[in-house]
């Protein structure tokens, strides 16, 4: 490990606030194969964190440390590291680009202050680019954009900018322009300094030369500089007046870009070619100049579990401890490793902390600074830092770790539901217990991976976000836990819902000689908007059902909702209102009301126009024009709804919504249709009603196996 001793000592001697002003917590996010990990590798090299640059295609990238990542050439799990640049400490999380591992992006963005969005200059804004952008919008994360692969055939910087504006709704503002494109890409024009920068390829990109802007590019550079200045003064009246009266200085421009970026009014856009070692130093400069420090973000907000009141925690070491666990990893030697973001106070080894989510106490055994899968033990970490912690036994993703004396519960992290499942069984009976242990640990690490036992068949069912997701989990069971399993075919995770409002009544009466059981409920079932899930409302008046039995009614409904009436799939997007009912002074009980509510719900579902719902995928196929007709014909045969077709570089890009059930084995069909020249990516979009003819076939198929 390389340590910049002078830089580190200088930072450690600064006051806490000054350290925080020079701290950046950023993530690197993008569509698969846009070059995130390559960008990260260059950042680590130029900051002196590694001695040599590892390449993804060689399986040698520092941040892709898992064997599976190296073999597949993709990032599977987010990796954290720390580096230093010009007196600033930068904590970096490199996130996956494959849609099946989008959970890693979700939980990373929850705890990060800023992000670099990497775009491929050829592909532009691709499906997963849109997904991660929406995730960043959800958490209000300021972003800068880096248009990578400017040296590739078909690279188009200006088209990528337009796609960012059209598809993402981003106010993308270039602060650089490329000098040349494709094979002729040489460097960039810095619109702030109005200078050209040309990288020396013989020096691994460490050296670059500042030149005057080429004459043929002077007009376009002046045009885009004016656009930049207009963009930053648009949101600042004082800057606007100064711009009109006397013009802006260099410091004014830097401050203007920073303020507009922190407020998400603009997205500064840079460009380069990470694989050819061009553009990374200026990207690092942009991170330190324009990305927020922990002091720039609002104080974290949470609820005091003792009082129920909302409280704030400021980024300061003197504040009570508050930290969020955003990732769990099992270490074969040290046990459970929890990644935490500290929002306030200090987290020290040997401290006893309080888990406000699980209402339990734990002792911190070790505090670690992470560098991918390598770690450096430290005594403590402070506000604004990201670290690994050993010793938290009863902990999960999204838990709040805080002070015992001043507890606070921070907002947790929400994750999407799995859309695909398959059965697994150990190859030998001796592996049964080992398999359950492996599945439990993998589910702890990844909240979108779940497992359980099928009630009818007794099989162990695993579910996740896609075929690759489940393949990786099965592979990890073999490599990390020495458990070999047989797997069934992947199956679609269907859901059931209703289409109309109904009233359903049930009177549960049971007399067994002694005390009987009595409960009477009237429920109104009604459909909710797509994606709303479930809601329960108590509309009873006058105490017709005593208040202590209302939770039992809700519990009974929730138990019934897990098994639908058409094909046994969970019921979603349904609301239940408890309208009326009655109770007996002696015979009523929680059990009676739970059973009555469950029976009323199941009776009502049958009358409420039940329908089968299937996951619909957002599919993007990139295909040479000569094969466009065959590809569209094949998609139509898969019940696709074509959304748009557009030209991109030398190919056609078809975007469509296709049922997941029709996409199994699509990669082989696409290769066959296009002689291996087309590619596709897909991600989950939404659930929609299965056509009646297809629904009947699915239901009869399930019934035929029972």
């Amino acid at each position: 490990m390389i340590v910049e001793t002078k830089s580190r000592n200088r930072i450690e001697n600064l006051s806490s606030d000054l350290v925080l002003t020079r701290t950046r917590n950023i993530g690197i996010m993008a569509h698969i194969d846009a070059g995130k990990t390559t960008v990260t590798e260059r950042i680590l090299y130029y900051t002196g964190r590694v001695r040599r640059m590892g390449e993804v295609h060689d399986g040698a990238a520092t941040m892709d440390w898992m064997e599976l990542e190296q073999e597949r050439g993709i990032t599977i799990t987010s990796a954290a590291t720390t580096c230093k640049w010009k007196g600033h400490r930068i904590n970096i999380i490199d996130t996956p680009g494959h849609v099946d591992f989008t959970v890693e992006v979700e939980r990373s963005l929850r705890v990060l202050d800023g992000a670099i969005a990497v775009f491929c200059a050829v592909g532009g804004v691709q499906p997963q680019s849109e997904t991660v952008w929406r995730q960043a919008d959800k958490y209000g994360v300021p972003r800068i954009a880096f248009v990578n692969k400017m040296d590739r055939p078909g690279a188009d910087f200006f088209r990528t900018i337009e796609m960012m504006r059209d598809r993402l709704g981003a106010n993308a503002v270039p602060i650089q322009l490329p000098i040349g494109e494709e094979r002729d890409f040489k460097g960039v024009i810095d619109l702030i300094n109005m200078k050209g920068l040309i990288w020396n390829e013989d020096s691994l990109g460490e050296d670059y030369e500042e030149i005057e802007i080429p004459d043929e590019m002077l007009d376009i550079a002046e045009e885009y500089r004016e656009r930049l200045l207009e963009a930053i003064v648009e949101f600042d009246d004082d800057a606007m007046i100064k711009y009109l009266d006397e013009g802006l200085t260099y410091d004014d421009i830097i401050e203007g870009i920073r303020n507009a970026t922190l407020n998400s009014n603009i997205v500064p856009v840079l460009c380069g070619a990470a694989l050819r070692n061009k553009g990374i130093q200026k990207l690092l400069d942009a991170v330190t100049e324009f990305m927020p420090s922990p002091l720039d973000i609002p104080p974290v907000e949470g609820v005091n579990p003792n009082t129920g009141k909302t409280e704030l925690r400021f980024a300061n070491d003197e504040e009570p401890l508050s930290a969020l666990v955003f990732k769990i990893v099992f270490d074969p030697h040290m046990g459970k490793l929890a990644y935490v973001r500290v929002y306030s106070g200090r987290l020290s080894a040997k401290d006893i902390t309080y888990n406000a989510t699980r209402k339990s106490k734990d002792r911190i055994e070790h505090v670690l600074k992470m560098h991918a899968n390598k770690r450096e033990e430290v005594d403590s970490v402070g506000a604004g830092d990201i670290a690994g912690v050993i010793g938290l036994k009863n902990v999960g993703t999204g838990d709040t770790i805080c002070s015992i004396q001043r507890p606070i519960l921070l907002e947790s992290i929400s994750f999407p539901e799995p859309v695909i499942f398959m059965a697994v069984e150990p190859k030998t009976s001796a592996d049964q217990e080992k398999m359950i242990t492996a599945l439990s640990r993998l589910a702890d690490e990844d909240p979108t991976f779940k497992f359980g036992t099928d009630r009818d068949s007794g099989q162990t069912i695993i579910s996740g976000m896609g075929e690759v997701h489940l393949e990786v989990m099965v592979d990890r069971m073999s490599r990390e836990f020495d458990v070999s399993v047989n797997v069934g075919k992947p199956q679609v995770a269907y859901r059931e819902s209703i289409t109309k409002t109904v009233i359903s009544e049930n009177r549960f009466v049971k007399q067994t000689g002694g005390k009987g059981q009595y409960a009477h409920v009237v429920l109104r079932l009604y459909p909710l908007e797509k994606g709303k899930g479930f809601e329960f409302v108590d509309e009873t008046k006058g105490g017709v059902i005593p208040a202590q039995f209302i939770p039992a009614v809700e519990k009974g409904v929730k138990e019934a909702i897990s098994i639908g009436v058409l094909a046994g799939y969970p019921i979603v997007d349904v609301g239940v209102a408890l309208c009326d009912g009655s109770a007996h002074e002696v015979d009523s009980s929680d059990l009676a009301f739970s059973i009555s509510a469950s029976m009323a719900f199941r009776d009502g579902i049958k009358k409420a126009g039940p329908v089968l719902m299937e996951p619909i995928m957002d599919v993007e196929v990139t295909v040479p024009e000569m094969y466009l007709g065959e590809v569209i014909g094949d998609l139509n045969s898969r019940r696709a709804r074509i959304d748009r077709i557009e030209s991109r570089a030398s190919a056609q890009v078809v975007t469509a919504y296709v049922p997941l059930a029709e996409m199994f084995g699509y990669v082989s069909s696409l290769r066959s249709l296009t002689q291996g020249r087309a590619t596709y990516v897909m991600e989950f979009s939404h659930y929609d009603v299965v056509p009646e003819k297809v629904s009947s076939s699915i239901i009869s198929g399930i019934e035929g196996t029972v």
Side-chain angles (χ1 to χ4, degrees), residues 630-631 634-635 637-638 662-676 678 680:
E630 290 90 334
V631 167
D634 181 64
L635 285 172
S637 72
R638 297 172 185 271
E662 305 290 347
M663 291 301 292
F664 292 132
Y666 182 61
V667 63
S668 298
S669 298
L670 186 63
R671 286 173 181 164
S672 176
L673 285 171
T674 64
Q675 298 183 9
Y680 85 100

Side-chain angles (χ1 to χ4, degrees), residues 460-488:
T460 300
I461 305 296
I462 61 174
S463 55
M465 302 307 296
E467 287 182 88
V468 175
H469 190 196
L470 296 187
E471 284 174 15
V472 165
M473 289 305 189
V474 170
D475 207 337
R476 287 187 64 189
M477 287 170 63
S478 173
R479 293 171 188 253
E480 298 173 28
F481 301 95
D482 194 27
V483 178
S484 296
V485 297
N486 297 316
V487 299

